[in-house]
Amino acid sequence: MSESLSVGAILAVSGGFFDVYTYLCRGGVFANAQTGNIVLLGMKLAEGQLRSAMHYVLSIIAFVLGVIVAERVKQHYKRRASLLFHWRQIVVLQEIVLLVLIAFLPQSWNMIANVMISFICAMQVETFRKVRGSTFATTMCTGNLRSGTEHLVLWL
């Protein structure tokens, strides 16, 4: 089920929403488009704006930590066949809890909200990696556009 088209579509829409939300409403930082954050980090560093650059550094670090946590959850719970939940459901539950907390954070806590959402996006992209057996990034579109175009050409 985790590789179904409907789950992939829902996750892709949520991943896009996270970027729009954090960029437009939480201070101009991308939640999951870390390439964009690295470009913006470089621009801020070149402009000598070290304090502004930290917003991007923290988001990038949070993304790395999210991948690590998702992978550790997978390693820990995948071996336990007697669990009531699948390891992916545990990751999604963690995401939901964090998103509920973020919903109550004031605008003055934008950096914390961005860090938390970057962490969530990393867990999501690490946890849900395929749709119908094909590699799929639920939070970023460039690779998906390439893969989708390739599959279209093969189908035609």
Side-chain angles (χ1 to χ4, degrees), residues 2-75:
S2 64
E3 291 187 21
S4 71
L5 185 59
S6 58
V7 169
I10 290 168
L11 293 172
V13 168
S14 68
F17 171 78
F18 291 145
D19 259 348
V20 169
Y21 173 71
T22 57
Y23 193 81
L24 295 179
C25 302
R26 290 290 188 166
V29 176
F30 292 109
N32 59 53
Q34 297 307 315
T35 301
N37 285 336
I38 291 169
V39 168
L40 294 171
L41 169 65
M43 288 172 49
K44 294 296 180 186
L45 289 174
E47 294 168 352
Q49 297 180 18
L50 299 179
R51 188 158 199 242
S52 294
M54 285 308 297
H55 295 287
Y56 304 107
V57 170
L58 292 175
S59 182
I60 293 164
I61 291 169
F63 195 90
V64 168
L65 291 174
V67 171
I68 291 168
V69 168
E71 191 58 32
R72 296 297 293 163
V73 167
K74 176 182 167 184
Q75 290 172 357

Side-chain angles (χ1 to χ4, degrees), residues 3-4 10 26 28 39 50-51 53 58 60 62 66 81 90 95 97-98 102 108 118 120 123 131 139 142 144 149 151:
E3 291 187 21
S4 71
I10 290 168
R26 290 290 188 166
V39 168
L50 299 179
R51 188 158 199 242
L58 292 175
I60 293 164
I90 294 168
E95 290 181 25
V97 169
L98 290 174
I102 293 164
S108 59
S118 290
I120 289 166
M123 288 196 314
V131 168
T139 60
T142 304
N144 295 335
T149 304
H151 286 294

